[in-house]
mmCIF file of all heavy atoms in Angstrom:
data_model
loop_
_atom_site.group_PDB
_atom_site.id
_atom_site.type_symbol
_atom_site.label_atom_id
_atom_site.label_comp_id
_atom_site.label_asym_id
_atom_site.label_seq_id
_atom_site.Cartn_x
_atom_site.Cartn_y
_atom_site.Cartn_z
ATOM 1 N N TYR A 127 9.031 -86.838 -181.366
ATOM 2 C CA TYR A 127 9.316 -85.789 -182.342
ATOM 3 C C TYR A 127 8.173 -84.785 -182.348
ATOM 4 O O TYR A 127 7.016 -85.184 -182.511
ATOM 5 C CB TYR A 127 9.503 -86.360 -183.749
ATOM 6 C CG TYR A 127 9.890 -85.283 -184.737
ATOM 7 C CD1 TYR A 127 11.177 -84.760 -184.729
ATOM 8 C CD2 TYR A 127 8.969 -84.759 -185.634
ATOM 9 C CE1 TYR A 127 11.531 -83.749 -185.615
ATOM 10 C CE2 TYR A 127 9.320 -83.751 -186.510
ATOM 11 C CZ TYR A 127 10.600 -83.249 -186.495
ATOM 12 O OH TYR A 127 10.954 -82.247 -187.353
ATOM 13 N N PRO A 128 8.442 -83.495 -182.154
ATOM 14 C CA PRO A 128 9.741 -82.872 -181.903
ATOM 15 C C PRO A 128 10.387 -83.439 -180.634
ATOM 16 O O PRO A 128 9.693 -83.945 -179.749
ATOM 17 C CB PRO A 128 9.402 -81.390 -181.740
ATOM 18 C CG PRO A 128 8.049 -81.223 -182.370
ATOM 19 C CD PRO A 128 7.344 -82.503 -182.140
ATOM 20 N N THR A 129 11.689 -83.331 -180.572
ATOM 21 C CA THR A 129 12.401 -83.944 -179.461
ATOM 22 C C THR A 129 13.563 -83.063 -179.011
ATOM 23 O O THR A 129 13.948 -82.109 -179.697
ATOM 24 C CB THR A 129 12.917 -85.338 -179.865
ATOM 25 O OG1 THR A 129 13.453 -85.992 -178.719
ATOM 26 C CG2 THR A 129 13.985 -85.245 -180.945
ATOM 27 N N PHE A 130 14.108 -83.383 -177.852
ATOM 28 C CA PHE A 130 15.262 -82.699 -177.295
ATOM 29 C C PHE A 130 16.247 -83.747 -176.806
ATOM 30 O O PHE A 130 15.861 -84.884 -176.507
ATOM 31 C CB PHE A 130 14.851 -81.790 -176.134
ATOM 32 C CG PHE A 130 13.844 -80.725 -176.512
ATOM 33 C CD1 PHE A 130 12.480 -80.956 -176.357
ATOM 34 C CD2 PHE A 130 14.255 -79.514 -177.040
ATOM 35 C CE1 PHE A 130 11.555 -79.993 -176.718
ATOM 36 C CE2 PHE A 130 13.341 -78.549 -177.410
ATOM 37 C CZ PHE A 130 11.981 -78.788 -177.242
ATOM 38 N N VAL A 131 17.496 -83.378 -176.726
ATOM 39 C CA VAL A 131 18.510 -84.307 -176.225
ATOM 40 C C VAL A 131 18.138 -84.733 -174.806
ATOM 41 O O VAL A 131 17.835 -83.908 -173.956
ATOM 42 C CB VAL A 131 19.909 -83.654 -176.243
ATOM 43 C CG1 VAL A 131 20.928 -84.558 -175.544
ATOM 44 C CG2 VAL A 131 20.349 -83.367 -177.679
ATOM 45 N N GLY A 132 18.132 -86.039 -174.601
ATOM 46 C CA GLY A 132 17.771 -86.585 -173.292
ATOM 47 C C GLY A 132 16.361 -87.121 -173.209
ATOM 48 O O GLY A 132 16.026 -87.851 -172.274
ATOM 49 N N ASP A 133 15.502 -86.774 -174.192
ATOM 50 C CA ASP A 133 14.144 -87.325 -174.208
ATOM 51 C C ASP A 133 14.199 -88.849 -174.299
ATOM 52 O O ASP A 133 15.041 -89.413 -175.013
ATOM 53 C CB ASP A 133 13.368 -86.796 -175.415
ATOM 54 C CG ASP A 133 12.855 -85.384 -175.203
ATOM 55 O OD1 ASP A 133 13.003 -84.863 -174.083
ATOM 56 O OD2 ASP A 133 12.314 -84.799 -176.170
ATOM 57 N N THR A 134 13.297 -89.529 -173.601
ATOM 58 C CA THR A 134 13.258 -90.987 -173.653
ATOM 59 C C THR A 134 11.829 -91.476 -173.881
ATOM 60 O O THR A 134 10.859 -90.837 -173.473
ATOM 61 C CB THR A 134 13.784 -91.626 -172.352
ATOM 62 O OG1 THR A 134 12.984 -91.175 -171.244
ATOM 63 C CG2 THR A 134 15.236 -91.264 -172.105
ATOM 64 N N THR A 135 11.726 -92.597 -174.552
ATOM 65 C CA THR A 135 10.458 -93.305 -174.689
ATOM 66 C C THR A 135 10.698 -94.754 -174.313
ATOM 67 O O THR A 135 11.827 -95.261 -174.405
ATOM 68 C CB THR A 135 9.902 -93.241 -176.126
ATOM 69 O OG1 THR A 135 10.893 -93.757 -177.034
ATOM 70 C CG2 THR A 135 9.571 -91.821 -176.518
ATOM 71 N N HIS A 136 9.650 -95.417 -173.885
ATOM 72 C CA HIS A 136 9.717 -96.842 -173.561
ATOM 73 C C HIS A 136 8.898 -97.597 -174.605
ATOM 74 O O HIS A 136 7.678 -97.440 -174.684
ATOM 75 C CB HIS A 136 9.177 -97.105 -172.160
ATOM 76 C CG HIS A 136 10.042 -96.540 -171.080
ATOM 77 N ND1 HIS A 136 10.039 -95.199 -170.745
ATOM 78 C CD2 HIS A 136 10.959 -97.131 -170.278
ATOM 79 C CE1 HIS A 136 10.914 -94.988 -169.767
ATOM 80 N NE2 HIS A 136 11.481 -96.141 -169.467
ATOM 81 N N PHE A 137 9.584 -98.387 -175.405
ATOM 82 C CA PHE A 137 8.927 -99.172 -176.451
ATOM 83 C C PHE A 137 9.247 -100.631 -176.217
ATOM 84 O O PHE A 137 10.400 -101.042 -176.280
ATOM 85 C CB PHE A 137 9.406 -98.729 -177.835
ATOM 86 C CG PHE A 137 8.722 -99.448 -178.964
ATOM 87 C CD1 PHE A 137 7.482 -99.019 -179.419
ATOM 88 C CD2 PHE A 137 9.300 -100.559 -179.548
ATOM 89 C CE1 PHE A 137 6.840 -99.684 -180.445
ATOM 90 C CE2 PHE A 137 8.671 -101.231 -180.576
ATOM 91 C CZ PHE A 137 7.434 -100.793 -181.023
ATOM 92 N N ASP A 138 8.191 -101.404 -175.938
ATOM 93 C CA ASP A 138 8.375 -102.814 -175.616
ATOM 94 C C ASP A 138 9.303 -102.915 -174.400
ATOM 95 O O ASP A 138 9.045 -102.299 -173.379
ATOM 96 C CB ASP A 138 8.930 -103.563 -176.829
ATOM 97 C CG ASP A 138 8.482 -105.009 -176.879
ATOM 98 O OD1 ASP A 138 7.771 -105.437 -175.960
ATOM 99 O OD2 ASP A 138 8.828 -105.718 -177.841
ATOM 100 N N TYR A 139 10.387 -103.666 -174.529
ATOM 101 C CA TYR A 139 11.332 -103.788 -173.415
ATOM 102 C C TYR A 139 12.522 -102.843 -173.580
ATOM 103 O O TYR A 139 13.521 -102.972 -172.859
ATOM 104 C CB TYR A 139 11.836 -105.230 -173.317
ATOM 105 C CG TYR A 139 10.738 -106.239 -173.093
ATOM 106 C CD1 TYR A 139 10.290 -107.047 -174.132
ATOM 107 C CD2 TYR A 139 10.129 -106.365 -171.850
ATOM 108 C CE1 TYR A 139 9.271 -107.964 -173.938
ATOM 109 C CE2 TYR A 139 9.104 -107.279 -171.640
ATOM 110 C CZ TYR A 139 8.682 -108.079 -172.684
ATOM 111 O OH TYR A 139 7.666 -108.987 -172.483
ATOM 112 N N TYR A 140 12.427 -101.909 -174.487
ATOM 113 C CA TYR A 140 13.557 -101.048 -174.814
ATOM 114 C C TYR A 140 13.327 -99.621 -174.326
ATOM 115 O O TYR A 140 12.196 -99.152 -174.219
ATOM 116 C CB TYR A 140 13.793 -101.023 -176.330
ATOM 117 C CG TYR A 140 14.064 -102.379 -176.914
ATOM 118 C CD1 TYR A 140 13.048 -103.106 -177.540
ATOM 119 C CD2 TYR A 140 15.333 -102.950 -176.844
ATOM 120 C CE1 TYR A 140 13.295 -104.360 -178.081
ATOM 121 C CE2 TYR A 140 15.589 -104.197 -177.382
ATOM 122 C CZ TYR A 140 14.566 -104.897 -177.992
ATOM 123 O OH TYR A 140 14.806 -106.148 -178.519
ATOM 124 N N ILE A 141 14.438 -98.943 -174.061
ATOM 125 C CA ILE A 141 14.424 -97.509 -173.793
ATOM 126 C C ILE A 141 15.082 -96.830 -174.987
ATOM 127 O O ILE A 141 16.193 -97.189 -175.386
ATOM 128 C CB ILE A 141 15.174 -97.163 -172.496
ATOM 129 C CG1 ILE A 141 14.446 -97.765 -171.288
ATOM 130 C CG2 ILE A 141 15.304 -95.648 -172.332
ATOM 131 C CD1 ILE A 141 15.185 -97.571 -169.976
ATOM 132 N N ILE A 142 14.386 -95.862 -175.576
ATOM 133 C CA ILE A 142 14.903 -95.139 -176.741
ATOM 134 C C ILE A 142 15.163 -93.702 -176.331
ATOM 135 O O ILE A 142 14.257 -93.000 -175.884
ATOM 136 C CB ILE A 142 13.909 -95.201 -177.909
ATOM 137 C CG1 ILE A 142 13.622 -96.666 -178.261
ATOM 138 C CG2 ILE A 142 14.451 -94.454 -179.117
ATOM 139 C CD1 ILE A 142 12.560 -96.854 -179.318
ATOM 140 N N ARG A 143 16.407 -93.276 -176.453
ATOM 141 C CA ARG A 143 16.827 -91.966 -175.954
ATOM 142 C C ARG A 143 17.370 -91.103 -177.087
ATOM 143 O O ARG A 143 18.146 -91.577 -177.926
ATOM 144 C CB ARG A 143 17.898 -92.141 -174.878
ATOM 145 C CG ARG A 143 18.400 -90.844 -174.241
ATOM 146 C CD ARG A 143 19.413 -91.131 -173.157
ATOM 147 N NE ARG A 143 18.827 -92.009 -172.144
ATOM 148 C CZ ARG A 143 19.475 -93.017 -171.563
ATOM 149 N NH1 ARG A 143 20.724 -93.287 -171.905
ATOM 150 N NH2 ARG A 143 18.877 -93.753 -170.647
ATOM 151 N N THR A 144 16.970 -89.843 -177.119
ATOM 152 C CA THR A 144 17.506 -88.890 -178.091
ATOM 153 C C THR A 144 18.888 -88.437 -177.633
ATOM 154 O O THR A 144 19.026 -87.894 -176.545
ATOM 155 C CB THR A 144 16.577 -87.669 -178.227
ATOM 156 O OG1 THR A 144 15.257 -88.114 -178.538
ATOM 157 C CG2 THR A 144 17.070 -86.734 -179.314
#
Side-chain angles (χ1 to χ4, degrees):
Y127 184 74
T129 188
F130 301 93
V131 172
D133 281 354
T134 59
T135 56
H136 292 78
F137 183 83
D138 211 358
Y139 300 104
Y140 301 99
I141 295 175
I142 303 175
R143 182 178 303 139
T144 306

